[in-house]
Amino acid sequence: MNNNLSLSDIKTFVAIVSLGNLTRAAETLGSSRAHVSRQLSQLEKDLGTQLLTRTTRTQKLTEAGEMFYQTCRSSLQAIDKAASDALEMNNAMTGKIYINSLGGVFGEEYTAKALAEFSLLYPEVQINLSFESRHINLIDEQYDLVIRAGELTDSSLISRPLMTMNMGLFASPEYLNKHGMVEHPDDLNKHRCVAGPIVKWQFQNSEGEQKDIYINPVMNCNNSRVLRQCALDGIGIIRLPSLYIEKDLKDKTLLPAVSGWNINSIPVHLIYNQQRYQPERIKVLNNFIYEWFNKKPAL
């Protein structure tokens, strides 16, 4: 017996028996009678046993054919139900979504709020949100969507722009009174800087001149709230998105620390794998996040 049976041949056999003859089976399957007959013959050859005894007018199941038919009919019904259930699950707004996002103030004030609004609209979707900051491999890991800041390097992924974060250098008034403003990026070599994971700070002036400076920070920390507190305590100059310290700027507890130069803004993207049959809940959340962020101005 050939164990590599054709599912198409099995479906044709079940149709022949269920419908009573080859002609009706061929019409139902959208095939020719000759092709249906060949499929039946091939299935019997693969099994090494006769399933039907046929004359020009009648057909009758053999004992082996009867047993094979009952089992296959039941199995095909189970397959049809499984396919229907899979399609329903794929199209339904239920199930889990795993999303990884840029953390800190951005994650807490923006990503979390967007997902809260989505959850109110679709309460049967379970969202699993992570602020894990390490590099996420969408191919190997469980995340459906990822929100990341910075330029993208993996061209195999699909990205959608969400917003642009305006960056700046900031320090306390006490620090600036003691050490002065940064008039040129090269001046940073004389200043105390507190940095996150990025120690290459990029600048551009109004004349289009660009300058990259590698700083030697007195402290490194990948937590934006810690960086903010260091600046408030007068430890040194920090580089952060201005949206992270809006209240401090308004209260003048932190001030811009550079004059005449701008720090390149940082794009934020929604990243995901291209999937032909993406579940509806992921497609809907993908569009929801994109539209939610693009209603907001650059920050």
Side-chain angles (χ1 to χ4, degrees), residues 76-232:
L76 289 175
Q77 288 173 345
I79 291 173
D80 287 342
K81 185 179 186 306
S84 177
D85 290 346
L87 179 62
E88 182 179 351
M89 178 176 290
N90 194 63
N91 293 333
M93 289 302 295
T94 60
K96 297 180 179 180
I97 300 178
Y98 293 87
I99 181 166
N100 178 274
S101 173
L102 178 67
V105 175
F106 178 91
E108 295 166 10
E109 297 295 329
Y110 292 89
T111 304
K113 287 183 178 179
L115 294 180
E117 291 183 22
F118 178 85
S119 186
L120 289 173
L121 292 174
Y122 304 102
E124 294 187 22
V125 175
Q126 180 182 337
I127 298 172
N128 295 271
L129 173 62
S130 168
F131 291 135
E132 192 173 9
S133 60
R134 66 179 176 82
H135 175 73
I136 298 298
N137 187 326
L138 276 169
I139 301 297
D140 299 331
E141 301 192 45
Q142 65 181 352
Y143 293 108
D144 301 301
L145 302 169
V146 171
I147 297 176
R148 276 289 174 268
E151 298 299 332
L152 304 177
T153 57
D154 191 341
S155 60
S156 67
L157 300 175
I158 310 300
S159 67
R160 305 180 78 178
L162 296 184
M163 59 184 274
T164 299
M165 292 193 295
N166 294 325
M167 304 293 294
L169 295 190
F170 307 99
S172 67
E174 294 77 17
Y175 178 90
L176 294 176
N177 287 335
K178 183 176 180 180
H179 299 280
M181 292 280 290
V182 177
E183 302 293 342
H184 189 278
D186 288 336
D187 295 344
L188 286 169
N189 294 323
K190 306 171 188 176
H191 282 270
R192 293 170 58 84
C193 298
V194 182
I198 297 175
V199 295
K200 177 184 176 183
W201 292 1
Q202 300 176 307
F203 298 84
Q204 182 174 333
N205 63 17
S206 59
E207 298 175 356
E209 181 184 355
Q210 301 212 15
K211 183 76 175 180
D212 296 348
I213 296 293
Y214 287 89
I215 62 163
N216 184 26
V218 297
M219 183 185 297
N220 278 102
C221 182
N222 63 358
N223 185 291
S224 60
R225 296 190 187 277
V226 171
L227 298 181
R228 168 184 172 270
Q229 191 59 52
C230 286
L232 289 170

Side-chain angles (χ1 to χ4, degrees), residues 276-294:
R276 188 175 180 183
Y277 300 111
Q278 194 175 57
E280 187 68 14
R281 64 185 181 277
I282 297 176
K283 289 191 289 186
V284 172
L285 178 56
N286 186 323
N287 290 328
F288 181 89
I289 291 174
Y290 176 75
E291 292 170 3
W292 192 92
F293 275 95
N294 278 273

Side-chain angles (χ1 to χ4, degrees), residues 258-270:
V258 62
S259 175
W261 291 79
N262 296 316
I263 295 186
N264 295 343
S265 57
I266 296 181
V268 179
H269 291 90
L270 178 64

